[in-house]
């Protein structure tokens, strides 16, 4: 087990630096890579704009390294930019062993390998300030032809397009965290489908398609879920929005898990789901679907009021609060027959 403080240099080299510097991804735009004692890395953006984003992973105890890569890169993709590299701060609780660190590193390398980016550096230590592994990441990205979009770029009259499914990331997290408890409430094949939804976290492909279409705003649906992301896009754009709840795609696995956990799938963390504001939304949906990405027009950008339509009734679309993931408590559910 590790003692409090920095990871010993020989362990850091063997378990972290060597796998990172010998990964298959070696980008030409990175000119200084991490090594023991080297506090900085360097990239050459080749005349493009640099785009940065940072976020921790706090709501999951499994796949944290993998999640950290995709969730942070999605923010860069949402700006219409291309991720280049990632920096990671890893804080491990007391009594952590090498298996925990190895799992984190392998998850990071799996994510960076899928996206074709490099780990630029970071910091790893053991501390009594945390009770479970905590990973925080910063992504460095660059634009393509100096083009980017803002969350606050929505324009009056545009369609609101959503990709994939509501509660995507949250479904996968809950399925993995509460797998044993959920196995009593749902068929095994549906539970496996829920766990596998974590393989759809990247929004890179839809970002590229959307940018080619000429969108003006994109937002990855993280904490607060689909409705939270739509609210934030409209608020940031100083516009209103009308959302049609019955148009929002939800997988059956998500519906079952959210029913078991007593939470709202439309406000469940949904990384991997992109909210896009664009003219000719149906045309964009068709382009996305041609590439195998499920998409729907779920709303319209309006002048001021934020509204959601449910079963023919109009309600105020409220600003996002604490994510539904933190309310999920599957083991407390009283069994009332198997959920199908």
């Amino acid at each position: 087990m590790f003692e409090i403080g920095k990871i010993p240099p020989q362990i850091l080299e063997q378990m972290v630096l060597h796998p990172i510097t010998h990964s298959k991804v070696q980008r030409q735009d990175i000119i200084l890579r991490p090594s023991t004692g080297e506090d900085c890395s360097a990239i050459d953006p080749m005349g493009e704009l640099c785009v940065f984003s940072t976020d921790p992973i706090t709501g999951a105890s499994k796949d944290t390294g993998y999640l950290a890569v995709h969730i942070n890169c999605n923010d860069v993709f949402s700006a219409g930019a291309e991720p280049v590299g990632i920096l990671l701060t890893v804080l491990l609780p007391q009594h952590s062993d090498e298996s925990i660190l190895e799992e984190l590193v392998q998850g990071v390398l799996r994510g960076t390998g899928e996206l074709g980016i490099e780990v630029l550096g970071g910091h790893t230590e053991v501390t009594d300030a945390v009770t479970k592994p905590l990973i925080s990441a910063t992504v460095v990205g660059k634009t393509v032809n100096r083009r980017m979009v803002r969350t606050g770029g929505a324009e009056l009259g545009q369609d609101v397009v959503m990709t994939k499914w509501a509660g995507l990331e949250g479904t996968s997290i809950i399925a993995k965290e509460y797998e044993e408890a959920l196995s009593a409430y749902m068929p095994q094949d549906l539970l496996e489908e829920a766990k596998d939804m974590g393989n759809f976290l990247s929004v890179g492909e839809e970002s590229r398609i959307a940018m080619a279409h000429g969108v003006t705003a994109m937002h990855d649906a993280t904490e607060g879920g689909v409705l939270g992301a739509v609210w934030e896009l409209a608020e940031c754009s100083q516009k209103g929005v009308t959302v049609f709840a019955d148009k929002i795609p939800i997988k059956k696995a998500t519906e079952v898990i959210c029913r078991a956990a007593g939470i709202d799938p439309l406000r469940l963390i949904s990384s991997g789901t992109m909210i896009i504001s664009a003219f000719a939304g149906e045309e964009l949906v068709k382009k996305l679907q041609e590439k195998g990405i499920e998409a729907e027009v779920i709303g319209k950008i309006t002048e001021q009021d934020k509204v959601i339509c449910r079963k023919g009734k109009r309600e105020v679309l409220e600003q996002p609060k604490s994510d539904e993931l933190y309310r999920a408590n599957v083991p407390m559910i009283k069994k009332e027959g198997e959920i199908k």
Side-chain angles (χ1 to χ4, degrees):
M1 292 185 180
F2 299 129
E3 296 182 1
I4 289 181
K6 287 186 177 182
I7 299 296
Q10 63 272 23
I11 299 295
L12 184 68
E13 179 64 39
Q14 175 187 346
M15 300 190 65
V16 181
L17 292 176
H18 185 273
I20 286 171
T21 55
H22 288 75
S23 69
K24 295 179 180 179
V25 180
Q26 298 283 302
R27 296 180 60 102
Q28 294 183 350
D29 42 13
I30 295 177
I31 59 176
L32 179 61
R33 292 183 168 83
S35 64
T36 302
E38 191 72 69
D39 289 332
C40 295
S41 294
I43 70 169
D44 179 357
M46 301 177 188
E48 294 292 347
L49 302 176
C50 284
V51 180
F52 304 88
S53 184
T54 184
D55 263 319
I57 298 297
T58 57
S61 62
K62 298 181 180 180
D63 294 333
T64 50
Y66 184 77
L67 291 170
V69 172
H70 277 290
I71 273 58
N72 281 276
C73 286
N74 280 353
D75 287 337
V76 172
F77 282 132
S78 295
E82 172 196 355
V84 171
I86 188 168
L87 297 102
L88 302 157
T89 296
V90 176
L91 303 179
L92 302 177
Q94 277 185 282
H95 311 305
S96 296
D97 58 28
E98 293 182 9
S99 65
I100 295 175
L101 182 59
E102 182 177 17
E103 182 183 359
L104 277 169
V105 172
Q106 291 306 310
V108 167
L109 292 177
R110 183 160 64 96
T112 55
E114 290 175 356
L115 298 177
I117 68 172
E118 290 194 47
V119 177
L120 301 177
H123 178 81
T124 309
E125 73 170 84
V126 178
T127 173
D128 58 6
V130 297
T131 57
K132 66 179 181 179
L134 175 65
I135 184 167
S136 181
T138 298
V139 171
V140 180
K142 65 180 183 180
T143 56
V144 178
N145 299 322
R146 299 181 67 84
R147 292 183 60 235
M148 64 178 295
V149 299
R150 300 174 296 112
T151 301
E155 298 180 11
L156 185 64
Q158 287 184 323
D159 295 311
V160 178
V161 175
M162 168 188 160
T163 67
K164 302 188 183 107
W165 322 281
L168 194 163
E169 182 190 2
T171 299
S172 178
I173 290 174
I174 295 171
K176 292 174 182 178
E177 299 279 344
Y178 297 112
E179 182 174 3
E180 184 176 354
L182 282 168
S183 64
Y185 295 96
M186 58 196 299
Q188 188 62 35
D189 59 342
L190 204 59
L191 181 55
E192 291 300 322
E193 179 184 336
K195 290 162 57 181
D196 290 344
M197 286 173 69
N199 296 323
F200 296 89
L201 289 177
S202 178
V203 296
E205 183 65 14
E206 45 256 67
S207 171
R208 288 182 281 271
I209 295 169
M211 289 297 287
H213 180 79
V215 304
T216 64
M218 295 189 288
H219 196 30
D220 183 34
T222 53
E223 289 203 26
V226 170
L227 295 186
V230 172
W231 187 94
E232 288 175 343
L233 186 144
E235 179 72 8
C236 196
S237 303
Q238 298 182 327
K239 295 289 189 295
V241 67
T242 298
V243 183
F244 306 107
D246 60 342
K247 296 283 188 181
I248 297 175
I250 306 176
K251 277 190 169 287
K252 181 178 179 180
T254 299
E255 292 179 336
V256 170
I257 284 176
C258 288
R259 195 185 321 150
I263 57 177
D264 182 356
L266 302 188
R267 293 195 177 276
L268 176 62
I269 188 167
S270 300
S271 301
T273 297
M274 183 85 91
I275 302 300
I276 303 167
S277 183
F279 293 110
E282 292 292 351
E283 182 181 332
L284 174 57
V285 165
K286 184 178 179 181
K287 292 176 182 177
L288 289 162
Q289 291 176 342
E290 287 174 350
K291 293 296 183 178
I293 300 170
E294 186 167 338
E296 294 288 345
V297 173
I298 64 163
K300 200 85 169 176
I301 299 298
T302 61
E303 193 164 347
Q304 54 181 355
D305 294 333
K306 299 180 183 69
V307 175
I308 180 170
C309 297
R310 300 178 192 261
K311 299 179 180 179
K313 295 183 179 180
R314 290 169 60 89
E315 308 168 9
V316 174
L317 177 62
E318 297 180 352
Q319 70 182 75
K321 299 176 183 178
S322 179
D323 194 271
E324 292 289 270
L325 181 65
Y326 304 117
R327 296 181 53 241
N329 199 354
V330 176
M332 297 300 293
I333 302 295
K334 292 182 179 179
K335 186 173 182 179
E336 296 180 357
E338 188 182 55
I339 298 175
K340 295 291 188 181

